[in-house]
Amino acid sequence: MDFSNALTNTYTLVFFVLLCVSLVVLSLYYGLTLLRVATHKGKNLPDSSALSVSDLPPVSVVLVAHNESEFLKESLPYLLEQDYPNFEVVVVDYTSRDDTQFVLQVCSENYPNLKAISFPEDVNMFKGKKYPLSIGIKSAKNDVILLTEPGCVPKDFGWIREMVCGYMHGASAVLGYSLLKDGKGLLALLQQYENMMFGASYLGMALLGNPYTATGRNLSFRRDFFFSHGGFISHYSISEGADDLFVNQNVTRSNSTVVLHEKAAVEADVNSTFSLWHEDRRARFVTRHLYGLKDKLILLAYPLSLVIFILVLVLLWVGGLFPWQLLAAVLGLKIVWQVICTALYGKRFKIKVVQFLSPIFEIYFLFANTILYLFTLRRK
């Protein structure tokens, strides 16, 4: 390999430095998100099986349903039969026109710990689920609130018990994680990868002391903490982001805990069509312009480093400005480290396949997420 030209050409050296810096940033990102979450042991949390009944606070599981009777038929039994001494399940049926009311009525006859709140007419001055969710939280009788969604099923009947372990050291909010059920086809794989990277991002940042967001599929906080911080009032005018913006504005390193126990997970179905998946993704992106500057810079660091890495690598290779063997080694180093981190994360949470496809999916989402974010900025 001939390095003589590279060592004397200023532009080539600048490009190569940019390549190395972007590689370091990407490697740190994979390590601090995927790898950190994959290897987190949660040693500061107590063993749930060792907790006595007196140690376990009463819990209210709260969810909002709108025309989701089919999901409720599957998820409600898992919620209502949790292995926990004192809990209730509060379901806010908001203007459903399907069989949701009858599903809740049948369950109420068999489960006294189910509280159903029905809104036959739309009295929400704002779009979205923030108003009905606030009503559900206000109607809950217990201080510990555990949020989920109708399409989510706890992985274990010890879900509540494991999530509550996060409160044993004085936390006001507990961040859980959500998985997707296995599906067939490319669309299912793309959803698995995106859900994995989203989970790794917010959980990894929370473990580093910056809980910038969470998922409403598996999120807990104290009722007093919710209302003392104004609930959703500051962003009622935005239909999306009930869980997202509340966590971003109020949850900090000192008042939160992350729970990654296997029994603390919930699982949801993959979307059956691209349009449904696109709507979920859009709802997640539309609130990001309201984040603080620090969170925006953190979220920008990864895609920007990836763009710089790809562009500089292509320029150096196409222009013949640097030995291709060394460029191939740099690319190979990046891919190997990425696959290792992804594989360890997948092993931790029993996610199949995606590790070897992650370098390809990464490029796809770089373009797809950029386009989606730009469109959300234009939306009033």
Side-chain angles (χ1 to χ4, degrees):
M1 293 184 291
D2 183 13
F3 289 88
S4 57
N5 182 60
L7 294 175
T8 57
N9 189 309
T10 303
Y11 293 107
T12 303
L13 282 174
V14 170
F15 281 150
F16 189 69
V17 170
L18 285 174
L19 184 68
C20 292
V21 171
S22 60
L23 175 64
V24 170
V25 174
L26 290 173
S27 299
L28 285 174
Y29 180 81
Y30 301 142
L32 295 176
T33 56
L34 290 162
L35 187 61
R36 186 177 182 87
V37 174
T39 57
H40 181 68
K41 302 299 182 182
K43 295 181 180 179
N44 59 325
L45 299 178
D47 182 359
S48 63
S49 61
L51 297 176
S52 63
V53 173
S54 60
D55 295 326
L56 300 173
V59 174
S60 293
V61 179
V62 181
L63 59 153
V64 177
H66 174 70
N67 293 334
E68 296 182 276
S69 60
E70 294 302 317
F71 287 123
L72 290 174
K73 290 176 184 178
E74 179 183 4
S75 62
L76 273 181
Y78 284 91
L79 297 175
L80 292 165
E81 296 183 11
Q82 283 286 302
D83 180 18
Y84 198 79
N86 187 357
F87 76 101
E88 64 172 353
V89 177
V90 181
V91 180
V92 182
D93 174 18
Y94 202 82
T95 67
S96 294
R97 296 293 181 262
D98 61 357
D99 293 334
T100 297
Q101 178 183 355
F102 302 104
V103 172
L104 294 175
Q105 182 178 348
V106 171
C107 289
S108 297
E109 295 172 355
N110 296 279
Y111 296 99
N113 58 334
L114 172 62
K115 178 187 291 185
I117 303 171
S118 179
F119 285 88
E121 301 297 331
D122 189 2
V123 295
N124 188 0
M125 291 185 294
F126 305 103
K127 293 182 179 180
K129 71 174 186 178
K130 293 177 184 178
Y131 173 72
L133 185 57
S134 296
I135 296 299
I137 295 171
K138 188 173 183 180
S139 302
K141 66 179 182 181
N142 301 317
D143 183 48
V144 175
I145 304 297
L146 182 52
L147 302 184
T148 189
E149 296 178 357
C152 297
V153 175
K155 287 278 287 183
D156 191 272
F157 287 102
W159 169 58
I160 297 179
R161 183 181 291 267
E162 293 298 337
M163 288 294 290
V164 162
C165 287
Y167 289 105
M168 295 301 136
H169 297 294
S172 297
V174 178
L175 280 60
Y177 68 103
S178 170
L179 301 174
L180 293 180
K181 297 178 182 178
D182 292 333
K184 297 180 180 180
L186 179 60
L187 179 60
L189 289 176
L190 288 171
Q191 291 180 68
Q192 285 284 9
Y193 176 81
E194 190 209 22
N195 186 72
M196 177 186 68
M197 295 303 294
F198 172 63
S201 177
Y202 82 80
L203 293 170
M205 289 298 107
L207 292 174
L208 287 172
N210 183 42
Y212 73 91
T213 188
T215 174
R217 293 174 175 177
N218 197 5
L219 172 66
S220 181
F221 44 74
R222 293 191 180 277
R223 188 172 180 270
D224 289 344
F225 175 78
F226 177 78
F227 287 110
S228 66
H229 286 80
F232 305 132
I233 292 176
S234 64
H235 46 90
Y236 252 135
S237 58
I238 302 173
S239 59
E240 298 86 357
D243 43 13
D244 178 19
L245 292 177
F246 178 78
V247 171
N248 185 261
Q249 294 176 359
N250 303 297
V251 176
T252 64
R253 177 177 188 171
S254 60
N255 64 21
S256 65
T257 305
V258 173
V259 175
L260 296 177
H261 194 280
E262 182 180 5
K263 295 181 179 180
V266 298
E267 196 172 48
D269 290 316
V270 295
N271 287 298
S272 57
T273 65
F274 186 89
S275 60
L276 290 173
W277 178 46
H278 174 78
E279 184 60 27
D280 285 348
R281 294 176 63 239
R282 187 201 61 79
R284 186 182 299 164
F285 274 82
V286 77
T287 58
R288 290 194 174 182
H289 69 282
L290 298 175
Y291 287 3
L293 179 61
K294 179 185 70 173
D295 294 330
K296 288 180 179 178
L297 291 176
I298 290 174
L299 290 173
L300 180 63
Y302 166 59
L304 181 60
S305 298
L306 184 58
V307 169
I308 293 174
F309 181 83
I310 294 172
L311 286 179
V312 173
L313 190 70
V314 171
L315 287 174
L316 289 174
W317 176 63
V318 173
L321 301 176
F322 218 83
W324 69 267
Q325 296 92 333
L326 187 58
L327 297 178
V330 171
L331 178 60
L333 182 64
K334 181 260 186 194
I335 291 177
V336 168
W337 177 241
Q338 179 183 6
V339 169
I340 289 174
C341 294
T342 307
L344 291 174
Y345 187 96
K347 181 179 179 181
R348 168 75 184 265
F349 299 110
K350 297 180 175 59
I351 302 173
K352 300 178 181 179
V353 183
V354 294
Q355 59 266 32
F356 295 110
L357 296 173
S358 57
I360 300 173
F361 286 168
E362 182 181 57
I363 303 300
Y364 168 80
F365 281 104
L366 174 64
F367 290 99
N369 289 345
T370 301
I371 294 171
L372 183 60
Y373 183 67
L374 292 176
F375 271 101
T376 57
L377 288 178
R378 296 178 57 186
R379 179 175 177 268
K380 294 184 180 180

